Amino acid sequence: MLRDHRDRPVDGGDWFLHHGTDVETRWDEDVPHLTPNDRFFVRNHTRPPVVDVETWRLLVTGDGVSGEATYSLAELQAFTSTTVERALECTGNGRKLFADQQGAARPGTQWGLGAIGVARWTGVPLRTGLRHAGLRDDAVQVMPVGLDDPFVEDGVDHGRVRRPLPMAKALDDALIAWEMNGEPLPADHGFPARLIVPGWVGIASIKWLGELRVTTSVVDSPWNTTWYRMHGEGWSGDDAVLDVMPPKSILDVTGRLEAGRMSVLRGRAWSGEATVSVVELSTDGGATWQETTLTGPNEPSSWVEWEHAWTPSQAGPHELVTRATDSRGRRQPVQAPLNDDGYLFWAAIRHPVTVAESSLVSSRAGTPGRPPPVD
Ligand SMILES: Nc1nc2c(c(=O)[nH]1)N[C@H]1C(S)=C(S)[C@@H](COP(=O)(O)O)O[C@H]1N2
Ligand SMILES: [Mo]
Protein backbone atom coordinates (compact mmCIF):
# COMPACT_ATOMS: atom_id res chain seq x y z
CA MET A 1 0.00 0.00 0.00
CA LEU A 2 1.31 3.46 -0.88
CA ARG A 3 1.88 5.84 2.00
CA ASP A 4 2.10 9.61 2.15
CA HIS A 5 4.72 11.60 4.09
CA ARG A 6 2.74 11.06 7.32
CA ASP A 7 2.80 7.31 6.72
CA ARG A 8 -0.90 7.21 5.93
CA PRO A 9 -2.50 5.35 3.05
CA VAL A 10 -2.67 7.66 0.04
CA ASP A 11 -5.88 6.43 -1.53
CA GLY A 12 -8.49 6.77 1.22
CA GLY A 13 -6.69 9.64 2.91
CA ASP A 14 -6.65 8.07 6.35
CA TRP A 15 -6.74 4.85 8.31
CA PHE A 16 -10.49 4.48 8.23
CA LEU A 17 -13.54 3.66 6.16
CA HIS A 18 -16.12 6.34 6.98
CA HIS A 19 -19.79 5.82 7.82
CA GLY A 20 -21.15 9.22 8.86
CA THR A 21 -19.89 9.79 12.40
CA ASP A 22 -18.71 6.18 12.71
CA VAL A 23 -15.36 5.00 11.38
CA GLU A 24 -14.15 1.50 10.65
CA THR A 25 -10.62 0.08 10.75
CA ARG A 26 -9.31 -0.93 7.31
CA TRP A 27 -8.34 -4.55 6.87
CA ASP A 28 -6.55 -3.79 3.60
CA GLU A 29 -3.76 -2.38 5.77
CA ASP A 30 -1.58 -4.40 8.12
CA VAL A 31 -3.44 -4.30 11.41
CA PRO A 32 -0.98 -4.78 14.29
CA HIS A 33 -1.88 -7.23 17.06
CA LEU A 34 -2.80 -4.27 19.27
CA THR A 35 -4.90 -1.78 17.33
CA PRO A 36 -3.28 1.66 17.72
CA ASN A 37 -5.64 4.16 19.36
CA ASP A 38 -5.72 6.35 16.25
CA ARG A 39 -6.74 3.38 14.08
CA PHE A 40 -9.40 1.98 16.44
CA PHE A 41 -12.99 1.99 15.12
CA VAL A 42 -15.40 4.56 16.57
CA ARG A 43 -19.11 4.10 17.13
CA ASN A 44 -20.84 7.14 18.63
CA HIS A 45 -24.61 7.41 19.00
CA THR A 46 -24.23 11.20 19.23
CA ARG A 47 -20.84 12.80 19.88
CA PRO A 48 -18.18 12.77 22.58
CA PRO A 49 -19.04 15.07 25.50
CA VAL A 50 -16.49 17.62 26.66
CA VAL A 51 -15.52 16.47 30.14
CA ASP A 52 -13.50 18.49 32.67
CA VAL A 53 -11.58 15.81 34.48
CA GLU A 54 -11.10 18.05 37.54
CA THR A 55 -14.82 18.20 38.23
CA TRP A 56 -15.78 14.84 36.70
CA ARG A 57 -17.15 12.28 39.15
CA LEU A 58 -18.46 8.75 38.70
CA LEU A 59 -21.60 8.30 40.81
CA VAL A 60 -22.66 4.91 42.15
CA THR A 61 -26.36 5.11 42.99
CA GLY A 62 -29.48 2.97 43.43
CA ASP A 63 -31.09 0.64 45.97
CA GLY A 64 -28.49 -2.05 45.18
CA VAL A 65 -25.79 -0.24 47.18
CA SER A 66 -26.05 0.62 50.86
CA GLY A 67 -24.11 3.86 50.54
CA GLU A 68 -23.74 6.04 47.48
CA ALA A 69 -20.19 6.53 46.27
CA THR A 70 -18.64 9.33 44.26
CA TYR A 71 -15.30 8.67 42.62
CA SER A 72 -12.94 11.20 41.13
CA LEU A 73 -10.49 9.85 38.57
CA ALA A 74 -7.70 10.03 41.16
CA GLU A 75 -9.83 7.99 43.59
CA LEU A 76 -10.48 5.33 40.97
CA GLN A 77 -6.79 5.21 40.15
CA ALA A 78 -5.94 4.74 43.83
CA PHE A 79 -7.54 1.26 43.73
CA THR A 80 -5.30 -1.62 42.65
CA SER A 81 -5.42 -1.39 38.88
CA THR A 82 -5.21 -4.14 36.32
CA THR A 83 -4.35 -4.23 32.61
CA VAL A 84 -5.90 -6.70 30.17
CA GLU A 85 -5.72 -7.23 26.41
CA ARG A 86 -9.29 -7.47 25.15
CA ALA A 87 -11.24 -6.92 21.95
CA LEU A 88 -14.05 -4.45 21.60
CA GLU A 89 -16.44 -5.28 18.78
CA CYS A 90 -19.64 -3.66 17.58
CA THR A 91 -22.71 -5.91 17.52
CA GLY A 92 -23.26 -4.88 13.90
CA ASN A 93 -19.69 -5.67 12.79
CA GLY A 94 -19.93 -7.38 9.39
CA ARG A 95 -23.49 -6.15 8.72
CA LYS A 96 -22.58 -5.36 5.09
CA LEU A 97 -21.89 -9.06 4.57
CA PHE A 98 -25.57 -9.91 5.02
CA ALA A 99 -25.97 -8.13 1.68
CA ASP A 100 -22.71 -9.28 0.09
CA GLN A 101 -22.90 -12.96 1.01
CA GLN A 102 -26.54 -13.68 1.75
CA GLY A 103 -28.37 -11.26 -0.54
CA ALA A 104 -30.18 -9.87 2.49
CA ALA A 105 -29.20 -6.22 3.07
CA ARG A 106 -29.97 -4.98 6.55
CA PRO A 107 -30.36 -1.31 7.58
CA GLY A 108 -27.83 0.42 9.80
CA THR A 109 -24.14 1.20 9.54
CA GLN A 110 -22.77 -0.91 6.69
CA TRP A 111 -19.72 -2.19 8.53
CA GLY A 112 -17.38 -4.51 6.73
CA LEU A 113 -15.41 -6.46 9.30
CA GLY A 114 -13.51 -3.49 10.75
CA ALA A 115 -15.77 -2.58 13.68
CA ILE A 116 -13.42 -4.41 16.00
CA GLY A 117 -10.16 -3.53 17.69
CA VAL A 118 -7.94 -5.00 20.38
CA ALA A 119 -6.30 -2.85 23.04
CA ARG A 120 -4.67 -3.16 26.43
CA TRP A 121 -7.12 -1.59 28.85
CA THR A 122 -6.05 -0.36 32.28
CA GLY A 123 -8.58 0.21 35.03
CA VAL A 124 -10.17 -1.17 38.14
CA PRO A 125 -12.51 -4.18 38.21
CA LEU A 126 -16.12 -3.00 38.26
CA ARG A 127 -16.75 -5.27 41.29
CA THR A 128 -14.19 -3.27 43.29
CA GLY A 129 -15.98 0.00 42.53
CA LEU A 130 -19.36 -1.54 43.39
CA ARG A 131 -18.26 -3.30 46.59
CA HIS A 132 -16.57 -0.18 47.83
CA ALA A 133 -19.97 1.54 47.51
CA GLY A 134 -21.61 -1.13 49.70
CA LEU A 135 -22.95 -3.53 47.08
CA ARG A 136 -25.94 -5.45 48.49
CA ASP A 137 -26.32 -9.22 48.09
CA ASP A 138 -29.73 -8.80 46.45
CA ALA A 139 -28.53 -6.40 43.72
CA VAL A 140 -29.39 -7.89 40.31
CA GLN A 141 -27.94 -5.47 37.79
CA VAL A 142 -25.97 -2.31 37.18
CA MET A 143 -26.97 0.30 34.58
CA PRO A 144 -23.95 2.27 33.39
CA VAL A 145 -24.97 5.68 31.99
CA GLY A 146 -22.92 7.72 29.50
CA LEU A 147 -22.41 11.48 29.68
CA ASP A 148 -22.96 12.00 25.96
CA ASP A 149 -26.09 13.88 24.86
CA PRO A 150 -29.38 11.97 25.03
CA PHE A 151 -29.96 9.95 21.87
CA VAL A 152 -32.81 11.37 19.79
CA GLU A 153 -34.11 9.48 16.77
CA ASP A 154 -37.14 10.42 14.64
CA GLY A 155 -38.15 12.99 17.26
CA VAL A 156 -38.09 10.44 20.12
CA ASP A 157 -35.74 11.17 23.02
CA HIS A 158 -34.40 7.86 24.31
CA GLY A 159 -32.33 9.43 27.08
CA ARG A 160 -28.66 8.91 27.73
CA VAL A 161 -26.90 5.90 26.25
CA ARG A 162 -27.19 3.16 28.89
CA ARG A 163 -27.69 -0.59 29.01
CA PRO A 164 -28.28 -2.88 31.99
CA LEU A 165 -25.50 -5.31 32.83
CA PRO A 166 -26.47 -8.45 34.82
CA MET A 167 -24.68 -8.67 38.17
CA ALA A 168 -22.91 -11.95 37.32
CA LYS A 169 -20.98 -10.34 34.46
CA ALA A 170 -20.50 -7.11 36.40
CA LEU A 171 -18.79 -9.06 39.21
CA ASP A 172 -16.82 -11.27 36.85
CA ASP A 173 -14.48 -9.42 34.49
CA ALA A 174 -16.02 -6.03 33.67
CA LEU A 175 -13.56 -3.17 34.04
CA ILE A 176 -13.83 0.57 34.67
CA ALA A 177 -11.04 1.61 32.30
CA TRP A 178 -9.19 4.93 31.99
CA GLU A 179 -6.26 3.87 29.83
CA MET A 180 -6.10 2.43 26.32
CA ASN A 181 -2.74 1.04 25.17
CA GLY A 182 -0.96 2.97 27.92
CA GLU A 183 -2.52 6.33 27.13
CA PRO A 184 -5.47 8.18 28.68
CA LEU A 185 -8.68 7.23 26.84
CA PRO A 186 -9.03 9.39 23.71
CA ALA A 187 -12.18 11.55 23.59
CA ASP A 188 -13.78 9.24 21.02
CA HIS A 189 -13.18 6.18 23.16
CA GLY A 190 -14.68 7.39 26.43
CA PHE A 191 -12.44 9.89 28.25
CA PRO A 192 -12.06 9.96 31.19
CA ALA A 193 -13.47 6.48 31.98
CA ARG A 194 -15.51 3.80 30.27
CA LEU A 195 -16.69 0.31 30.91
CA ILE A 196 -15.00 -2.62 29.20
CA VAL A 197 -17.20 -5.72 29.19
CA PRO A 198 -14.95 -8.42 27.68
CA GLY A 199 -16.43 -10.64 25.00
CA TRP A 200 -19.80 -8.91 25.01
CA VAL A 201 -21.52 -6.80 22.37
CA GLY A 202 -19.77 -3.40 22.10
CA ILE A 203 -22.82 -1.49 23.37
CA ALA A 204 -22.25 -3.03 26.83
CA SER A 205 -18.98 -1.10 27.11
CA ILE A 206 -20.53 2.29 27.91
CA LYS A 207 -18.20 5.25 27.25
CA TRP A 208 -17.88 8.55 29.15
CA LEU A 209 -19.20 6.96 32.33
CA GLY A 210 -21.18 9.32 34.55
CA GLU A 211 -23.23 6.99 36.69
CA LEU A 212 -23.56 3.35 37.72
CA ARG A 213 -27.16 2.66 38.81
CA VAL A 214 -27.24 -0.49 40.89
CA THR A 215 -30.68 -1.98 41.50
CA THR A 216 -32.37 -4.91 43.24
CA SER A 217 -34.98 -5.14 40.47
CA VAL A 218 -34.70 -5.38 36.70
CA VAL A 219 -34.71 -2.01 34.93
CA ASP A 220 -34.59 -1.88 31.11
CA SER A 221 -33.36 0.66 28.59
CA PRO A 222 -34.06 0.93 24.84
CA TRP A 223 -30.54 -0.46 24.33
CA ASN A 224 -31.68 -3.87 25.58
CA THR A 225 -35.38 -3.79 24.66
CA THR A 226 -35.63 -2.02 21.29
CA TRP A 227 -32.09 -2.48 19.97
CA TYR A 228 -29.41 -5.13 20.34
CA ARG A 229 -31.86 -7.99 20.23
CA MET A 230 -32.32 -10.69 17.63
CA HIS A 231 -35.75 -10.45 16.09
CA GLY A 232 -37.69 -10.03 12.87
CA GLU A 233 -37.92 -11.68 9.49
CA GLY A 234 -35.76 -14.76 9.20
CA TRP A 235 -35.08 -14.99 12.92
CA SER A 236 -36.57 -18.17 14.36
CA GLY A 237 -35.07 -18.21 17.85
CA ASP A 238 -36.22 -16.40 20.97
CA ASP A 239 -36.37 -12.62 20.93
CA ALA A 240 -32.92 -12.78 22.46
CA VAL A 241 -31.08 -10.02 24.31
CA LEU A 242 -27.54 -10.02 22.95
CA ASP A 243 -24.56 -10.54 25.18
CA VAL A 244 -21.58 -12.77 24.19
CA MET A 245 -20.06 -12.31 20.73
CA PRO A 246 -19.64 -15.36 18.45
CA PRO A 247 -16.38 -16.56 16.79
CA LYS A 248 -15.20 -14.91 13.56
CA SER A 249 -12.16 -15.06 11.31
CA ILE A 250 -10.65 -13.03 8.51
CA LEU A 251 -8.03 -13.46 5.80
CA ASP A 252 -5.50 -10.64 5.28
CA VAL A 253 -4.87 -9.33 1.78
CA THR A 254 -2.98 -12.11 0.05
CA GLY A 255 -0.64 -10.38 -2.36
CA ARG A 256 0.08 -12.08 -5.67
CA LEU A 257 -0.86 -15.76 -5.86
CA GLU A 258 0.75 -17.91 -8.53
CA ALA A 259 0.21 -21.52 -9.59
CA GLY A 260 3.03 -23.76 -8.40
CA ARG A 261 4.42 -21.14 -6.02
CA MET A 262 4.00 -21.26 -2.26
CA SER A 263 2.30 -18.34 -0.55
CA VAL A 264 1.84 -17.96 3.18
CA LEU A 265 -1.74 -16.89 3.85
CA ARG A 266 -2.36 -15.01 7.08
CA GLY A 267 -5.27 -13.69 9.01
CA ARG A 268 -6.89 -13.39 12.39
CA ALA A 269 -9.66 -14.97 14.45
CA TRP A 270 -11.48 -14.06 17.65
CA SER A 271 -14.39 -14.96 19.87
CA GLY A 272 -16.26 -13.62 22.89
CA GLU A 273 -15.48 -15.11 26.31
CA ALA A 274 -13.43 -17.84 24.63
CA THR A 275 -10.08 -18.49 23.03
CA VAL A 276 -9.81 -19.67 19.44
CA SER A 277 -9.24 -23.44 19.20
CA VAL A 278 -8.88 -23.91 15.45
CA VAL A 279 -8.93 -21.82 12.30
CA GLU A 280 -9.55 -23.80 9.13
CA LEU A 281 -8.94 -22.67 5.59
CA SER A 282 -10.66 -23.86 2.45
CA THR A 283 -9.22 -23.07 -0.97
CA ASP A 284 -12.16 -24.60 -2.83
CA GLY A 285 -15.13 -22.60 -1.61
CA GLY A 286 -15.75 -24.70 1.49
CA ALA A 287 -15.67 -28.20 -0.02
CA THR A 288 -12.53 -29.26 1.88
CA TRP A 289 -10.75 -27.75 4.88
CA GLN A 290 -7.22 -27.63 6.25
CA GLU A 291 -6.15 -26.65 9.71
CA THR A 292 -4.01 -23.51 9.91
CA THR A 293 -1.31 -22.72 12.46
CA LEU A 294 -2.16 -20.28 15.25
CA THR A 295 0.68 -17.90 16.11
CA GLY A 296 1.17 -15.38 18.90
CA PRO A 297 -1.01 -14.61 21.90
CA ASN A 298 -4.43 -16.28 22.15
CA GLU A 299 -6.29 -14.59 25.00
CA PRO A 300 -10.01 -15.06 25.58
CA SER A 301 -12.17 -12.24 24.18
CA SER A 302 -9.21 -11.08 22.10
CA TRP A 303 -7.78 -12.24 18.80
CA VAL A 304 -5.11 -14.59 17.52
CA GLU A 305 -3.12 -14.59 14.27
CA TRP A 306 -3.16 -17.66 12.01
CA GLU A 307 -1.08 -18.63 8.98
CA HIS A 308 -1.07 -21.35 6.37
CA ALA A 309 1.21 -22.17 3.47
CA TRP A 310 -0.64 -22.74 0.20
CA THR A 311 0.74 -23.77 -3.15
CA PRO A 312 -2.10 -23.48 -5.64
CA SER A 313 -1.82 -26.14 -8.32
CA GLN A 314 -4.02 -24.36 -10.84
CA ALA A 315 -4.32 -20.84 -12.14
CA GLY A 316 -7.71 -19.15 -12.28
CA PRO A 317 -10.42 -18.11 -9.87
CA HIS A 318 -10.49 -19.71 -6.42
CA GLU A 319 -12.64 -19.06 -3.40
CA LEU A 320 -10.78 -18.94 -0.08
CA VAL A 321 -12.91 -19.41 3.03
CA THR A 322 -11.85 -19.34 6.67
CA ARG A 323 -13.76 -20.58 9.68
CA ALA A 324 -12.92 -20.44 13.37
CA THR A 325 -13.96 -22.78 16.16
CA ASP A 326 -13.66 -21.46 19.70
CA SER A 327 -12.93 -23.07 23.07
CA ARG A 328 -16.68 -23.23 23.76
CA GLY A 329 -17.12 -25.42 20.68
CA ARG A 330 -18.84 -22.77 18.57
CA ARG A 331 -17.90 -22.95 14.88
CA GLN A 332 -18.65 -20.33 12.25
CA PRO A 333 -21.66 -21.39 10.16
CA VAL A 334 -22.09 -21.23 6.38
CA GLN A 335 -24.95 -18.74 6.78
CA ALA A 336 -25.43 -16.21 9.57
CA PRO A 337 -28.95 -16.19 11.06
CA LEU A 338 -31.00 -13.39 9.52
CA ASN A 339 -32.43 -10.74 11.82
CA ASP A 340 -34.00 -7.34 11.15
CA ASP A 341 -31.15 -5.22 12.52
CA GLY A 342 -28.32 -7.20 10.94
CA TYR A 343 -26.56 -8.13 14.17
CA LEU A 344 -23.93 -10.84 14.65
CA PHE A 345 -22.82 -11.62 11.13
CA TRP A 346 -20.57 -14.54 11.97
CA ALA A 347 -20.76 -16.78 8.89
CA ALA A 348 -17.49 -17.97 7.35
CA ILE A 349 -16.32 -15.25 4.97
CA ARG A 350 -15.70 -15.98 1.30
CA HIS A 351 -12.73 -14.37 -0.41
CA PRO A 352 -12.65 -14.73 -4.19
CA VAL A 353 -9.05 -14.62 -5.49
CA THR A 354 -7.38 -15.10 -8.84
CA VAL A 355 -4.34 -17.34 -9.05
CA ALA A 356 -1.95 -16.26 -11.81
CA GLU A 357 -0.39 -18.73 -14.18
CA SER A 358 3.00 -19.97 -13.20
CA SER A 359 5.69 -17.67 -14.58
CA LEU A 360 8.00 -20.68 -14.45
CA VAL A 361 5.78 -22.83 -16.65
CA SER A 362 5.09 -20.13 -19.19
CA SER A 363 8.79 -19.28 -19.61
CA ARG A 364 9.69 -22.96 -19.83
CA ALA A 365 6.89 -23.43 -22.32
CA GLY A 366 8.73 -20.70 -24.15
CA THR A 367 5.99 -18.51 -25.51
CA PRO A 368 8.17 -15.91 -27.17
CA GLY A 369 7.31 -12.32 -26.46
CA ARG A 370 4.62 -13.18 -23.93
CA PRO A 371 4.94 -11.04 -20.80
CA PRO A 372 4.69 -12.72 -17.41
CA PRO A 373 1.09 -12.72 -16.18
CA VAL A 374 0.03 -10.11 -13.67
CA ASP A 375 -3.14 -9.99 -11.59
N1 LIG B 1 -21.94 6.54 26.13
C1 LIG B 1 -21.82 5.78 25.03
N2 LIG B 1 -21.24 4.57 25.12
C2 LIG B 1 -21.12 3.78 24.02
C3 LIG B 1 -21.63 4.20 22.77
C4 LIG B 1 -22.20 5.49 22.68
O1 LIG B 1 -22.63 5.97 21.62
N3 LIG B 1 -22.30 6.25 23.83
N4 LIG B 1 -21.53 3.35 21.68
C5 LIG B 1 -21.44 1.92 22.02
C6 LIG B 1 -21.20 1.06 20.87
S1 LIG B 1 -22.56 0.68 19.91
C7 LIG B 1 -19.98 0.48 20.64
S2 LIG B 1 -19.75 -0.64 19.40
C8 LIG B 1 -18.79 0.86 21.43
C9 LIG B 1 -17.74 1.45 20.53
O2 LIG B 1 -16.58 1.82 21.24
P1 LIG B 1 -15.46 2.68 20.50
O3 LIG B 1 -16.12 3.83 19.81
O4 LIG B 1 -14.50 3.09 21.58
O5 LIG B 1 -14.78 1.77 19.50
O6 LIG B 1 -19.10 1.82 22.45
C10 LIG B 1 -20.36 1.66 23.06
N5 LIG B 1 -20.49 2.59 24.16
MO1 LIG C 1 -21.96 -1.03 18.53
Side-chain angles (χ1 to χ4, degrees):
M1 177 98 11
L2 288 172
R3 302 289 174 80
D4 69 8
H5 64 288
R6 281 146 69 203
D7 199 32
R8 295 182 171 196
V10 289
D11 57 346
D14 64 25
W15 288 116
F16 294 116
L17 301 174
H18 292 256
H19 307 280
T21 55
D22 298 338
V23 295
E24 159 170 15
T25 302
R26 295 169 53 151
W27 277 107
D28 59 349
E29 283 284 326
D30 282 343
V31 179
H33 183 77
L34 292 179
T35 315
N37 294 359
D38 60 358
R39 290 175 62 180
F40 207 100
F41 85 98
V42 176
R43 165 70 175 111
N44 291 338
H45 280 74
T46 57
R47 76 183 90 87
V50 177
V51 176
D52 175 3
V53 71
E54 295 304 319
T55 55
W56 175 85
R57 296 290 181 275
L58 175 59
L59 311 179
V60 188
T61 61
D63 69 349
V65 285
S66 56
E68 300 207 340
T70 305
Y71 299 122
S72 66
L73 187 59
E75 284 166 338
L76 283 176
Q77 291 173 340
F79 289 118
T80 306
S81 67
T82 164
T83 298
V84 288
E85 173 195 307
R86 294 291 179 263
L88 181 66
E89 183 177 15
C90 185
T91 326
N93 192 24
R95 182 178 285 121
K96 180 173 177 288
L97 290 145
F98 277 108
D100 295 355
Q101 281 201 183
Q102 302 187 188
R106 288 293 179 266
T109 304
Q110 293 303 298
W111 302 111
L113 217 57
I116 181 171
V118 166
R120 283 169 62 78
W121 308 97
T122 301
V124 61
L126 177 57
R127 62 173 174 271
T128 306
L130 297 181
R131 288 199 175 125
H132 193 76
L135 180 67
R136 291 172 48 124
D137 287 345
D138 55 351
V140 297
Q141 69 172 46
V142 49
M143 178 91 79
V145 186
L147 290 171
D148 36 345
D149 285 342
F151 178 60
V152 180
E153 192 186 50
D154 303 329
V156 181
D157 185 341
H158 296 284
R160 293 194 188 275
V161 178
R162 64 201 187 283
R163 190 177 200 253
L165 185 64
M167 199 47 70
K169 183 66 176 175
L171 296 181
D172 183 13
D173 59 352
L175 196 69
I176 303 171
W178 54 79
E179 249 178 49
M180 181 178 184
N181 292 324
E183 288 166 21
L185 285 176
D188 266 323
H189 298 291
F191 179 84
R194 74 177 301 165
L195 225 51
I196 289 294
V197 181
W200 280 37
V201 288
I203 185 62
S205 295
I206 295 294
K207 303 192 269 192
W208 313 295
L209 277 180
E211 193 179 340
L212 298 169
R213 293 180 193 152
V214 190
T215 52
T216 57
S217 57
V218 173
V219 183
D220 290 320
S221 91
W223 284 268
N224 72 309
T225 54
T226 306
W227 309 300
Y228 304 100
R229 296 183 82 109
M230 299 291 260
H231 66 98
E233 200 184 323
W235 175 249
S236 53
D238 291 342
D239 189 352
V241 180
L242 293 174
D243 44 39
V244 182
M245 293 297 283
K248 300 186 187 179
S249 59
I250 193 167
L251 170 74
D252 289 349
V253 276
T254 58
R256 181 187 156 86
L257 300 167
E258 189 182 298
R261 207 189 66 191
M262 189 188 84
S263 290
V264 179
L265 303 179
R266 292 196 168 81
R268 210 156 289 184
W270 59 91
S271 190
E273 292 191 339
T275 56
V276 171
S277 309
V278 185
V279 178
E280 293 163 288
L281 171 78
S282 173
T283 55
D284 53 15
T288 61
W289 297 89
Q290 293 139 52
E291 214 176 289
T292 70
T293 304
L294 304 184
T295 63
N298 189 357
E299 296 259 329
S301 304
S302 186
W303 58 24
V304 63
E305 283 82 33
W306 61 264
E307 61 179 42
H308 191 73
W310 181 42
T311 308
S313 53
Q314 284 191 345
H318 286 70
E319 193 174 54
L320 306 183
V321 195
T322 65
R323 75 177 177 200
T325 304
D326 72 14
S327 55
R328 290 179 162 202
R330 296 173 298 185
R331 184 167 82 187
Q332 289 186 261
V334 174
Q335 299 264 304
L338 294 181
N339 64 98
D340 273 5
D341 295 324
Y343 295 132
L344 305 190
F345 184 92
W346 64 300
I349 296 185
R350 304 174 167 276
H351 305 264
V353 293
T354 303
V355 174
E357 270 179 49
S358 167
S359 41
L360 226 78
V361 171
S362 53
S363 59
R364 231 193 291 137
T367 324
R370 194 173 144 203
V374 285
D375 54 10

